[in-house]
Amino acid sequence: MQLKQVIIAHKARDPFSQRWAEQCARQLESRGCHVLMGPSGPKDNPYPVFLASSSSPIDLAVVLGGDGTALAAARNLAADGIPILAANIGGNLGFLTESFEDFKNTEEIWDRLSEDRYAVQKRMMLQAAIFQGNRTNLEPESDRFLALNEMCIKPASADRMPSCILEMEVDGEVVDQYQGDGLIVATPTGSTCYTASANGPIVHPGMDAIVVTPICPLSLSSRPVVLPPGSVVSIWPLADYDLTTKLWTDGILGTAIWPGQRVDVRMADCEAKFIILRENYSYYGTLREKLQWAGARIRYNNNHRN
């Protein structure tokens, strides 16, 4: 990998993350690299400015923070194919990030990247747009929205906890009407996030699949479903008299959905590319560590393994 131009995004309003970003910038600049650095957070999005102001290709994005910072980088950089090196500096859970211990020797990391001693993990993303009326209308009413974890269709209100009624079609066929707190349409990456909290299945990120999970449905028969990656999920809000239904992308407000409109969600035409530094990387090890899987209370020795 060439390191001629690199983005460094740090978690907004986090001094620890910012100090490491400044250190990385100094090291890369001493190697002749042009660095674009800025904060990333719910109210700070540096990527449009970085992409618009860059006249030469961006080789790498170094993202210092937690999963939210990594998700923002994926939404903004996946379409341009820019690889992301995300490190858990100032973050919490860190499902998508390299650990601080694996990242802190940064000079060695720049050497490894320059010598192509790393792996790239590609992760499926979702895209969504708002349309007017039924599926014969293919002219979108909104921009395209991207998500690495999930698209969520649910209401939001400042003065009460609203529920909603949503009708879902898959490839033009009505599946069900859901009454409850909303619907989550997730990727395998997002299956360990909001979807897992709503009792959805955990899907290996090496798969391409779409997971639809109801949020607190009023019917016990409303269950999560796993769909092929080529499916198009269309969702209409029904009986939305208060006009509160919204589309959320990775937990960030995307846009309002008005009565008569639908959301079409499908697999995106781009993938997020994450750089893996750990030689012993294991998805199952990440599950055990991050979800604190304990298994049986009494631990038995497996003498049959050897």
Side-chain angles (χ1 to χ4, degrees):
M1 173 188 293
Q2 297 185 19
L3 295 177
K4 293 184 178 180
Q5 184 162 228
V6 172
I7 288 173
I8 300 179
H10 59 85
K11 185 177 180 180
R13 291 170 290 282
D14 183 77
F16 183 57
S17 172
Q18 183 174 351
R19 285 197 302 271
W20 273 91
E22 292 168 349
Q23 174 180 308
C24 292
R26 289 192 297 269
Q27 293 173 350
L28 287 168
E29 287 172 346
S30 70
R31 294 169 178 250
C33 176
H34 179 237
V35 174
L36 303 167
M37 187 176 74
S40 175
K43 297 181 180 180
D44 300 274
N45 184 3
Y47 300 107
V49 174
F50 290 161
L51 296 173
S53 62
S54 177
S55 58
S56 58
I58 296 172
D59 301 304
L60 173 70
V62 179
V63 179
L64 309 180
D67 287 334
T69 316
L71 290 169
R75 289 194 302 272
N76 286 276
L77 302 179
D80 292 281
I82 299 172
I84 299 167
L85 173 57
N88 189 16
I89 299 179
N92 295 312
L93 191 59
F95 238 108
L96 296 170
T97 58
E98 299 288 312
S99 70
F100 177 67
E101 290 299 317
D102 291 321
F103 180 81
K104 65 181 181 181
N105 191 354
T106 48
E107 290 285 11
E108 179 183 342
I109 289 174
W110 313 139
D111 290 336
R112 286 184 58 183
L113 293 174
S114 299
E115 298 166 5
D116 291 334
R117 291 188 289 119
Y118 61 91
V120 175
Q121 185 180 58
K122 296 181 179 180
R123 295 197 175 224
M124 169 191 157
M125 299 186 70
L126 293 174
Q127 65 183 45
I130 307 298
F131 297 83
Q132 192 73 34
N134 62 33
R135 297 187 73 251
T136 61
N137 180 15
L138 301 179
E139 189 66 32
E141 299 273 320
S142 71
D143 295 331
R144 180 180 73 158
F145 297 93
L146 288 173
L148 176 58
N149 267 355
E150 76 277 314
M151 301 288 181
C152 184
I153 296 88
K154 68 175 183 178
S157 176
D159 53 359
R160 65 186 185 92
M161 297 175 61
S163 61
C164 60
I165 302 174
L166 302 173
E167 181 171 274
M168 182 178 76
E169 281 186 5
V170 176
D171 297 332
E173 182 177 351
V174 175
V175 176
D176 201 356
Q177 290 185 355
Y178 300 90
Q179 186 170 2
D181 288 356
L183 277 176
I184 305 169
V185 185
T187 65
T189 296
S191 70
T192 52
C193 190
Y194 196 3
T195 295
S197 300
N199 288 322
I202 291 178
V203 182
H204 193 286
M207 296 179 61
D208 286 342
I210 299 174
V211 182
V212 181
T213 304
I215 308 170
C216 300
L218 295 184
S219 171
L220 296 179
S221 65
S222 295
R223 310 301 302 164
V225 292
V226 181
L227 305 173
S231 301
V232 178
V233 180
S234 301
I235 299 170
W236 280 267
L238 306 179
D240 184 16
Y241 305 114
D242 296 331
L243 307 179
T244 57
T245 307
K246 305 287 193 295
L247 170 67
W248 308 78
T249 63
D250 291 336
I252 303 297
L253 178 61
T255 185
I257 310 168
W258 306 113
Q261 293 181 331
R262 74 178 195 275
V263 185
D264 278 5
V265 184
R266 67 186 74 206
M267 182 172 69
D269 56 7
C270 56
E271 297 175 307
K273 299 178 180 178
F274 283 94
I275 289 177
I276 304 296
L277 298 173
R278 289 159 287 175
E279 296 180 1
N280 60 344
Y281 171 78
S282 166
Y283 174 69
Y284 306 110
T286 301
L287 289 179
R288 290 194 304 270
E289 175 190 355
K290 302 300 183 181
L291 299 183
Q292 299 182 3
W293 281 355
R297 290 172 177 259
I298 302 174
R299 306 302 295 180
Y300 290 92
N301 291 322
N302 187 353
N303 298 321
H304 306 286
R305 182 176 289 119
N306 299 319

